[in-house]
C-alpha cells in the first residue's frame, strides 16, 4: 500500500456479493493508501481467473493471513472471495471504504 | 491541487455469477437426464404416491434445467458469440420452453419430450464447445 496523504474517491458498486450491506449502484466513499482495518470493507484487486483479469472488487477483510488479507463477501450465496482465491496480497488492497453515500444522493 | 486528494471514481465489482469462469452446459444436461429418467420410471409404476413424488421432482429438475441454461445465456455468452451464432437466442428460448410448463417437461411425462430437450441442450453445448476453441 502506498503511504503518505490518503486520496479520497468514490466507488460505485456493481453486483450482489456484498448484499445486504451494499447493493448494486451504491456509491461508496473510499480512501486510497490507508492502512487496512480488519472487519471493514475494502477495495481490492482480485487475482486473475481462468478467463483473465477479474475486476477491482469490494470485499470485507476479515483477518490478516501470513500471505496477505483474507477477504470475504457479505452475501454467501453470491460472489468470489478468499474462500475461492486465497488471501489477497498486501499491495492488492487498494482502498478502505469509509462510508456508503446516502442512496437518495445516488447519481443517475 | 484537488487532484492530489481526489481519486477518480471507479466501479467496484461485488459480483457473483461465477467469476471463477466455471460454465458448462453439462449442468443443464444432467438435470435433463434426471427428468427423462423420471418419465421412464413413472411409465411402469402405478403407485400414486410415487407418481406424485415423481411429478414434484420432475418440476424441480425442469426448473434447474431452465436456470442453468439462463445462466449460460446471461453470463457466459457474449455479444460476439451471438453474432457468430445467430440461432443461439432462439435455441435457448426453445430449450427453456421444452423444460417448461407450456408443453415442456414440466407438463408431461412423455419421454420423447425429455429427449427433445436433451437434443436442444446438445445443440447449445455444441455452440458452447465452439466458443471455447480460440
Amino acid at each position: 500500500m502506498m503511504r503518505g496523504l490518503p486520496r479520497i474517491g468514490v466507488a460505485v458498486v456493481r453486483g450482489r456479493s456484498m448484499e445486504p450491506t451494499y447493493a448494486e449502484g451504491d456509491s461508496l466513499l473510499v480512501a486510497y493508501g490507508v492502512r487496512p482495518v480488519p472487519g471493514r470493507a475494502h477495495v481490492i484487486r482480485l487475482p486473475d481467473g481462468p478467463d483473465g483479469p477479474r475486476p477491482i472488487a469490494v470485499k470485507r477483510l476479515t483477518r490478516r493471513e501470513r500471505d496477505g488479507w483474507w477477504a470475504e463477501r457479505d452475501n454467501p450465496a453470491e460472489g468470489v472471495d478468499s474462500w475461492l482465491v486465497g488471501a489477497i496480497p498486501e499491495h492488492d488492497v487498494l482502498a478502505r471504504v469509509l462510508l456508503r453515500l446516502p442512496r437518495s444522493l445516488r447519481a443517475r | 491541487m484537488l487532484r492530489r486528494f481526489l481519486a477518480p471514481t471507479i466501479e467496484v465489482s461485488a459480483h457473483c455469477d461465477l467469476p471463477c469462469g466455471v460454465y458448462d452446459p453439462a449442468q443443464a444436461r444432467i438435470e435433463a437426464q434426471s427428468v427423462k429418467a423420471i418419465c421412464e420410471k413413472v411409465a411402469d409404476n402405478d403407485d400414486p404416491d410415487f407418481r406424485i413424488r415423481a411429478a414434484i421432482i420432475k418440476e424441480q429438475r425442469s426448473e434447474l434445467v431452465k436456470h442453468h441454461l439462463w445462466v449460460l445465456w446471461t453470463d457466459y455468452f457474449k455479444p460476439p458469440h451471438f453474432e457468430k451464432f445467430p440461432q443461439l437466442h432462439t435455441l435457448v428460448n426453445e430449450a427453456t420452453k421444452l423444460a417448461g410448463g407450456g408443453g415442456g417437461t414440466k407438463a408431461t411425462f412423455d419421454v420423447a419430450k425429455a429427449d427433445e430437450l436433451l437434443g436442444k441442450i446438445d445443440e447449445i453445448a455444441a455452440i458452447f464447445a465452439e466458443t471455447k476453441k480460440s
Side-chain angles (χ1 to χ4, degrees):
Chain A
M1 303 261 317
M2 56 164 265
R3 295 281 174 241
L5 278 177
R7 292 171 87 211
I8 301 294
V10 172
V12 181
V13 177
R14 296 283 169 239
R16 296 195 301 260
S17 81
M18 288 299 282
E19 286 181 4
T21 319
Y22 307 130
E24 165 86 30
D26 281 352
S27 289
L28 311 176
L29 199 62
V30 303
Y32 293 88
V34 295
R35 192 179 297 277
V37 177
R40 297 280 302 274
H42 292 72
V43 175
I44 64 171
R45 185 179 286 116
L46 289 164
D48 288 358
D51 292 346
R54 291 195 176 94
I56 302 288
V58 57
K59 301 288 163 197
R60 186 169 306 283
L61 300 187
T62 51
R63 63 176 186 270
R64 194 66 204 268
E65 292 279 304
R66 227 167 11 94
D67 47 356
W69 288 90
W70 199 256
E72 293 189 13
R73 55 197 195 254
D74 285 0
N75 177 0
E78 295 223 4
V80 61
D81 61 12
S82 285
W83 294 107
L84 195 68
V85 301
I88 305 298
E90 186 84 23
H91 60 258
D92 284 337
V93 178
L94 310 176
R96 186 167 85 226
V97 177
L98 302 175
L99 53 93
R100 191 193 77 218
L101 296 170
R103 286 175 181 153
S104 54
L105 295 181
R106 191 178 285 188
R108 285 277 164 233
Chain B
M1 179 64 204
L2 211 52
R3 207 168 297 174
R4 284 183 51 197
F5 305 103
L6 281 182
T9 295
I10 60 164
E11 288 203 347
V12 286
S13 169
H15 258 295
C16 130
D17 300 329
L18 299 179
C20 48
V22 178
Y23 296 100
D24 199 324
Q27 287 178 289
R29 197 167 208 292
I30 286 168
E31 301 301 350
Q33 282 171 321
S34 293
V35 169
K36 182 182 173 179
I38 289 164
C39 294
E40 288 167 341
K41 283 193 162 161
V42 158
D44 40 36
N45 189 325
D46 286 334
D47 175 40
D49 288 338
F50 179 85
R51 293 184 73 94
I52 288 169
R53 286 192 61 217
I56 292 168
I57 292 165
K58 182 166 64 70
E59 193 80 15
Q60 291 168 341
R61 299 291 125 182
S62 297
E63 185 61 30
L64 281 168
V65 171
K66 294 175 81 167
H67 170 82
H68 287 309
L69 292 175
W70 283 329
V71 168
L72 286 176
W73 182 70
T74 316
D75 302 332
Y76 174 76
F77 290 118
K78 309 267 184 303
H81 298 146
F82 293 116
E83 272 167 46
K84 194 172 169 191
F85 304 99
Q87 73 278 34
L88 190 50
H89 286 307
T90 308
L91 266 178
V92 174
N93 177 264
E94 287 170 349
T96 45
K97 268 198 208 308
L98 279 167
T105 56
K106 284 187 184 182
T108 173
F109 279 107
D110 184 0
V111 176
K113 193 57 74 177
D115 275 326
E116 254 184 276
L117 172 60
L118 283 162
K120 283 283 178 219
I121 293 170
D122 287 344
E123 285 183 61
I124 294 167
I127 291 178
F128 177 87
E130 280 299 315
T131 65
K132 286 288 188 185
K133 296 175 194 165
S134 44

